[in-house]
Amino acid sequence: MAKKVVVDQGNCIGCGNCEAVCPEVFQLDPELDKSSVIKPEGGPDCVQDAMDQCPMEAISWQDS
């Protein structure tokens, strides 16, 4: 089963760390001031780096 990257909007504080380390997958939503996933299937290995850099542990993989 395929997995997709998700950001828990309730936990996200909009710090921008995920976008800084993995802009191919994450970007800050200017209206919500929180991170959003622009490439749910992931891609580069930087997704794990983004997970590691998230102070709120708001990024995870979910079954799609």
Side-chain angles (χ1 to χ4, degrees):
M1 179 175 283
K3 294 195 177 276
K4 65 179 181 175
V5 180
V6 294
V7 174
D8 181 336
Q9 295 293 312
N11 284 342
C12 179
I13 59 172
C15 69
N17 287 356
C18 58
E19 183 180 32
V21 298
C22 196
E24 302 93 339
V25 178
F26 302 95
Q27 85 179 28
L28 284 178
D29 183 321
E31 291 181 15
L32 300 175
D33 205 28
K34 294 184 183 260
S35 179
S36 61
V37 178
I38 58 173
K39 190 175 179 187
E41 68 276 12
D45 293 336
C46 63
V47 171
Q48 185 60 53
D49 291 338
M51 289 177 173
D52 295 341
Q53 294 294 321
C54 181
M56 302 305 292
E57 298 181 357
I59 304 167
S60 62
W61 288 102
Q62 288 186 351
D63 292 331
S64 58

